[in-house]
Amino acid sequence: MIRARRVRLAVPLDRSSDDPRVQLPAPPATTRPARRLEQQELAERLARALETLPPDQRAAFALFATGEMTYAEIADALGIPIGTVMSRLYHARRRLQGLLPDLAPGTRENRTAP
């Protein structure tokens, strides 16, 4: 969730720094200390929510959240079937969505009625 909120800037490498077409965007309106504090609070909320997960769900979610392991790799690491990995991730996500509804856009609680 935190990675999805991060803004990434890209500047072409084939242009010189003197090129007037290469302009970096202005820094965001929020000050850096305020942004840092917001990220710290978000990290603390997420850590507290993760602590409430059962150990088996937390382990599967932690391995998956890095984005470096596939379901099969997680299954091998934990010594469980892929279906069990999928189930644990499903239940972990559901619990986290319930604990952090403002961070889970698109859930029923956050949708407005037509």
Side-chain angles (χ1 to χ4, degrees), residues 16-104:
S16 72
S17 60
D18 298 333
D19 190 339
R21 294 176 292 171
V22 177
Q23 296 179 350
L24 295 175
T30 59
T31 61
R32 286 197 181 273
R35 178 75 174 154
R36 214 173 289 138
L37 180 61
E38 179 183 306
Q39 288 179 340
Q40 181 181 2
E41 289 173 355
L42 177 63
E44 289 172 2
R45 285 182 60 205
L46 185 57
R48 283 193 305 269
L50 288 170
E51 288 174 4
T52 68
L53 293 177
D56 56 346
Q57 290 177 12
R58 188 177 10 195
F61 188 82
L63 292 173
F64 181 76
T66 64
E68 297 176 3
M69 295 183 81
T70 65
Y71 286 3
E73 292 169 335
I74 294 169
D76 287 341
L78 297 177
I80 56 176
I82 291 177
T84 304
V85 170
M86 295 167 69
S87 174
R88 289 180 182 177
L89 288 173
Y90 170 80
H91 291 290
R93 287 184 192 116
R94 293 268 319 235
R95 184 175 292 216
L96 291 173
Q97 285 175 349
L99 293 170
L100 306 166
D102 57 314
L103 300 180

Side-chain angles (χ1 to χ4, degrees), residues 1-10 25-30 32 35 38-39:
M1 289 181 218
I2 293 173
R3 280 185 288 173
R5 290 179 168 223
R6 193 176 316 155
V7 176
R8 295 186 177 102
L9 303 176
T30 59
R32 286 197 181 273
R35 178 75 174 154
E38 179 183 306
Q39 288 179 340

